Amino acid sequence: MRNQTIFHKIMIILFCSVMIIGFVLGLAFFLRPERSDSENRELTKFPSFTFTTFLSGEYTEQISTWFADTFPFREGLIAANDFVMSLKGFGDEQFQLSTPSDTPGDDHGNAPGDDKVEAIGGYYVTGDTAYEIYSRNQSVSKRYSEVINKAASRLDGKAEVYTIIVPLAYAYNQKVLSLTGATDPKLAIDGMYADITHPNAIKVDAYGALGAHKDEYLYFRTDHHWTALGAYYTYTAYCTDAGLKAHPLSFYEECKFEGFLGTLYNKTKAPKLQKNPDTVYAYVPRGTNTLRVHLADGDSKKFTGGVVRKDTDTFYANAASKYNCFLTSDNPAGTDQSYYISIENPLITDGSAVVLVKESFGNCFAPFLVDHYQYVYVIDYRYFDGDIEDFVTEHNVEQVIFLNNVIATSADPRMDEMEGLVN
């Protein structure tokens, strides 16, 4: 009994000590991180005080969110949790093959033959490769076609409109396609292209361009994006449709960033992915490697960066961020303010201009446009509040390229943002 009492006292002291240490750490502002490498995102900022948000209670809620999101040593704690969870395998949540989700699950299946395929939410792992799975929403896909038709109509006589829909990696893996019951990207893309009927809309066949090289390194194994090589083959298809002569890969300076563990690894934490990271290859344009960010407040000097950031291994040192070498990341401005990017090639002086309207799949496509135009403008519609016709008129743009991966064409938030450009 005496030993048991001592043990209980020790446990109480340890528990109280942990609580006190946690409380002290929670108050340590200087230890709070600003970015999560494991989640590849900026963490919640401490809110600005206003009487309106204070009286409504929103200010205290924002502080609570900041406090929870920036707890000291969060990366180490997340890593420790991942390690513990890996000891027992994937999580306990049930998974429905016909309804991919963003949450890891524990459902497992076996493909025909000897290859074991593990299904984790909307992500599938087979060997050292993960796939993001797409399920088409036909009503939202119709909205995509309507956006392109409307853009083509509004810009008719001003600029040609090109649409490029990029399939996901599993499109060329019949085993994964049949096992998961996912939407066949080719059928989905063909359906959307059939609904794009305006004569000013040119439909670039990315599926065919990639399929002709399907055994090459077109997609990352640990990330949902395509590689710059995949973007290159699609660029050559665009050049054919636009009457341009594509440059060979040997035309460009190649950069290589090893040790990339992307979103699919961070979603699944699959050990085989961790042991076999990707390599990010990037191709630097000749004319210029400088971009400028133009903010809504008119401060175009807020940020300048690289079309391909050549110091990525030091600037984006963590394994999850190496895709940020393209256009100096998804949001190079690092702000919630509306912005667009401009790239001016001093070797071309004919006034030619193109605008690339894109989400993150367009990042590694943009560098290939630089050596064909004097001006390349990049609009990420997730961060841009303007009107596409006004932009084309103001900047004398001749071609407008809408580039999206196939999942974006079935996402309501993405279509809301794209419709904002043309309505």
Side-chain angles (χ1 to χ4, degrees), residues 119-287:
I120 312 166
Y123 310 92
Y124 291 80
V125 180
T126 175
D128 64 354
T129 303
Y131 298 89
E132 184 173 24
I133 302 304
Y134 157 67
S135 182
R136 184 187 183 192
N137 183 318
Q138 293 198 20
S139 63
V140 181
S141 295
K142 285 277 188 182
R143 292 174 64 190
Y144 177 81
S145 299
E146 290 167 1
V147 165
I148 300 303
N149 282 325
K150 188 162 187 177
S153 177
R154 288 190 62 187
L155 298 176
D156 199 6
K158 296 183 177 181
E160 296 174 328
V161 173
Y162 293 80
T163 175
I164 303 174
I165 304 178
V166 182
L168 301 182
Y170 79 88
Y172 306 102
N173 187 319
Q174 288 302 312
K175 183 180 289 188
V176 174
L177 184 61
S178 60
L179 172 71
T180 61
T183 298
D184 186 330
K186 185 180 189 308
L187 296 179
I189 294 170
D190 287 347
M192 283 182 277
Y193 276 5
D195 289 333
I196 297 172
T197 56
H198 196 282
N200 190 38
I202 299 101
K203 295 164 276 192
V204 178
D205 182 16
Y207 183 92
L210 295 165
H213 301 272
K214 63 183 179 181
D215 294 326
E216 298 178 39
Y217 192 32
L218 305 182
Y219 294 88
F220 296 113
R221 292 174 297 97
T222 71
D223 189 72
H224 67 287
H225 291 104
W226 57 352
T227 65
L229 183 62
Y232 171 77
Y233 289 129
T234 301
Y235 144 80
T236 63
Y238 165 74
C239 285
T240 298
D241 290 339
L244 302 173
K245 184 177 180 181
H247 299 295
L249 273 181
S250 59
F251 176 85
Y252 305 96
E253 174 192 354
E254 182 185 86
C255 293
K256 182 169 71 172
F257 309 107
E258 297 178 332
F260 176 45
L261 292 172
T263 54
L264 298 183
Y265 167 71
N266 285 308
K267 288 285 187 181
T268 64
K269 299 299 182 183
K272 286 188 178 179
L273 300 186
Q274 185 180 31
K275 293 177 181 177
N276 296 278
D278 281 295
T279 297
V280 177
Y281 293 90
Y283 300 93
V284 183
R286 281 192 184 183

Side-chain angles (χ1 to χ4, degrees), residues 375-411:
Y375 302 100
V376 175
Y377 301 103
V378 182
I379 291 176
D380 190 320
Y381 54 83
R382 299 169 297 175
Y383 306 103
F384 183 77
D385 296 330
D387 179 88
I388 190 64
E389 185 176 4
D390 291 344
F391 191 93
V392 164
T393 301
E394 180 181 353
H395 295 91
N396 297 312
V397 169
E398 301 164 346
Q399 279 94 28
V400 176
I401 306 168
F402 287 84
L403 189 152
N404 288 271
N405 80 84
V406 71
I407 284 183
T409 65
S410 276

Side-chain angles (χ1 to χ4, degrees), residues 278-396:
D278 281 295
T279 297
V280 177
Y281 293 90
Y283 300 93
V284 183
R286 281 192 184 183
T288 183
N289 193 35
T290 300
L291 61 79
R292 172 165 287 181
V293 178
H294 300 258
L295 300 177
D297 63 9
D299 183 7
S300 64
K301 297 180 180 179
K302 173 70 176 178
F303 187 89
T304 57
V307 178
V308 171
R309 182 127 195 173
K310 298 166 74 172
D311 60 347
T312 286
D313 275 335
T314 54
F315 195 79
Y316 298 115
N318 68 83
S321 296
K322 297 187 185 294
Y323 188 78
N324 288 338
C325 67
F326 303 110
L327 299 184
T328 314
S329 84
D330 233 10
N331 183 359
T335 176
D336 293 333
Q337 190 177 154
S338 174
Y339 75 88
Y340 69 90
I341 288 171
S342 70
I343 305 163
E344 182 176 358
N345 186 343
L347 302 184
I348 301 175
T349 58
D350 58 4
S352 56
V354 64
V355 58
L356 174 64
V357 180
K358 59 84 181 178
E359 34 77 23
S360 60
F361 267 64
N363 294 6
C364 60
F365 183 88
F368 296 116
L369 298 174
V370 173
D371 291 302
H372 293 281
Y373 299 90
Q374 183 175 352
Y375 302 100
V376 175
Y377 301 103
V378 182
I379 291 176
D380 190 320
Y381 54 83
R382 299 169 297 175
Y383 306 103
F384 183 77
D385 296 330
D387 179 88
I388 190 64
E389 185 176 4
D390 291 344
F391 191 93
V392 164
T393 301
E394 180 181 353
H395 295 91
N396 297 312

